[in-house]
Amino acid sequence: MQFRLPALRIPPFFRGGLVSPFRLRKLGVLGMNARNVRYIARYNDRDKYPIVDDKLNTKRAARRYRIPVPDLIAAFETQPTRKRIMQVIEPLQQFVIKPARGSGGKGILVIVGRDGEDYVKPSGSKVTALDIQRHISNIHSGLYSLGGKPDRVMIEALVDFDPVFDKYSFEGVPDIRVIVFRGFPVMAMLRCSTHDSDGKANLHQGAVGVGIDLATGKASHAVQRGLRVDIHPDTQMPFSDLEVPGWKDLVSLAASCYEMTGLGYLGCDIVLDRKRGPLLLEANARPGLAIQIANGIGLRTRLEHIESMTLEQLEKNVEERVNYSMDYFAAPTTL
């Protein structure tokens, strides 16, 4: 089964197989070296990195800029006692434990319910209070942090995600990654959790990446573990029917992260809450390149277009930047 959308012509590279570097450049694909040298090193001041490399710092900065984020229940700056941990988690039915400086979705423990004294994960497996204490200790020791340095622990409220994604997610909360360059959203994808990814919206762990048309919020292409898919592997729902509600508000939230972070090239991870709407999960100064595979489009051409703009063209507010991106980077209307 395959769905056909008039938005994209998927080049051979994105359907799998080997292709030469010259062909990749012609397709507008951005490689890691070019990303690091031309965009991260040139547009991201290193003194701004702590804002995004530490999720607690990101949350505090977002609050200053009135950008909505999931509620913070507790934060442990140092190794807490067993008594202190139990004081926090004992009354809770649902929560998420994260390392403040983790990367790639590592170290995130999602709890969706209780079964007696045990805590239930999205997969249905159970962990004990002692398991949670050990997990918190591992986070503090730096097991999941960038560079293996001692880390801080965050306990957040579990997002009550919008039911529009019920059929496109399994055992977890899907999120939307938006790449923002010089304040302009340039590409987006939805990451749908699966059984393989243990309820986490992380492509490296088996989540599905769904390319999203910037103009409409509709799905255009989907991949899992680098291979194209047309339906969710667990729910069997076709991605051709998928459309993100409140799309312009979500893209506007991502664009506003440019002012919040001061970073010229960043990735914004956003979730849709049932009541609160779009919430910023985190921002990333070194966003990965798999978003190109999810969309079936190279990123480099879009970045070069923004680079070619004059200073006068760049001096736009959030709404103007969003309108420009939604218009200019709209998917083609014909094959």
Side-chain angles (χ1 to χ4, degrees):
M1 170 184 177
Q2 287 191 335
F3 64 83
R4 292 282 190 267
L5 295 180
L8 289 176
R9 181 188 296 277
I10 306 302
F13 164 69
F14 294 102
R15 294 198 294 264
L18 299 177
V19 65
S20 70
F22 173 78
R23 178 61 175 158
L24 291 177
R25 285 193 295 271
K26 191 174 180 180
L27 290 170
V29 176
L30 180 68
M32 186 174 294
N33 289 340
R35 180 203 65 173
N36 293 346
V37 175
R38 287 192 57 179
Y39 298 104
I40 293 178
R42 181 180 298 179
Y43 293 101
N44 290 353
D45 293 335
R46 294 197 65 85
D47 61 356
K48 302 290 199 314
Y49 279 30
I51 299 174
V52 295
D53 282 349
D54 188 305
K55 295 179 181 65
L56 275 174
N57 291 344
T58 305
K59 193 175 291 289
R60 290 162 181 163
R63 286 174 175 171
R64 288 196 298 272
Y65 281 81
R66 297 184 178 181
I67 294 175
V69 294
D71 291 332
L72 181 67
I73 296 171
F76 299 136
E77 303 278 347
T78 58
Q79 178 67 51
T81 64
R82 179 184 182 280
K83 180 179 179 180
R84 175 57 183 147
I85 294 173
M86 294 309 299
Q87 284 177 340
V88 173
I89 69 173
E90 181 62 31
L92 303 177
Q93 291 291 321
Q94 299 179 326
F95 56 92
V96 180
I97 298 178
K98 296 180 179 179
R101 290 186 289 271
S103 63
K106 297 176 182 176
I108 298 176
L109 176 62
V110 179
I111 299 298
V112 298
R114 299 282 293 271
D115 184 4
E117 295 184 354
D118 292 334
Y119 297 81
V120 183
K121 296 170 62 177
S123 64
S125 62
K126 300 172 185 176
V127 295
T128 65
L130 181 58
D131 293 328
I132 291 176
Q133 292 163 30
R134 287 173 180 154
H135 186 72
I136 290 175
S137 180
N138 286 337
I139 292 175
H140 272 294
S141 70
L143 183 62
Y144 309 108
S145 67
L146 294 167
K149 297 179 180 179
D151 205 349
R152 300 183 289 180
V153 177
M154 302 168 55
I155 300 182
E156 287 184 341
L158 183 65
V159 173
D160 182 16
F161 69 95
D162 195 301
V164 70
F165 294 135
D166 282 351
K167 297 178 181 179
Y168 295 102
S169 187
F170 189 76
E171 304 174 345
V173 179
D175 72 359
I176 296 99
R177 160 69 60 86
V178 182
I179 300 294
V180 179
F181 180 50
R182 305 184 81 176
F184 291 81
V186 292
M187 194 168 285
M189 70 173 170
L190 175 71
R191 298 182 292 195
C192 301
S193 56
T194 65
H195 179 76
D196 287 349
S197 67
D198 195 25
K200 301 181 182 71
N202 186 282
L203 300 188
H204 301 292
Q205 296 175 337
V208 176
V210 184
I212 303 295
D213 177 15
L214 270 180
T216 63
K218 296 180 179 180
S220 58
H221 186 241
V223 296
Q224 185 185 30
R225 300 191 186 279
L227 299 176
R228 184 174 181 180
V229 295
D230 301 311
I231 60 175
H232 191 282
D234 300 306
T235 68
Q236 305 302 305
M237 281 297 295
F239 289 113
S240 55
D241 298 333
L242 191 154
E243 181 175 357
V244 182
W247 179 242
K248 188 170 184 179
D249 290 340
L250 187 150
V251 177
S252 297
L253 186 154
S256 65
C257 290
Y258 172 63
E259 282 80 10
M260 181 193 85
T261 64
L263 295 171
Y265 181 77
L266 76 156
C268 302
D269 296 342
I270 300 167
V271 292
L272 281 181
D273 186 88
R274 185 190 304 264
K275 296 180 180 178
R276 301 179 61 193
L279 304 177
L280 177 68
L281 273 186
E282 60 181 277
N284 194 320
R286 314 166 193 82
L289 299 171
I291 193 169
Q292 299 175 106
I293 308 300
N295 278 271
I297 296 176
L299 185 57
R300 180 172 55 83
T301 306
R302 296 188 177 193
L303 299 178
E304 289 177 348
H305 172 74
I306 299 298
E307 283 186 303
S308 71
M309 296 172 68
T310 66
L311 287 176
E312 183 178 355
Q313 291 174 315
L314 289 169
E315 291 177 353
K316 301 177 185 291
N317 60 33
V318 170
E319 183 178 5
E320 290 169 336
R321 297 196 305 262
V322 168
N323 288 338
Y324 183 91
S325 291
M326 293 180 76
D327 178 56
Y328 194 86
F329 297 128
T333 56
T334 59
L335 288 173

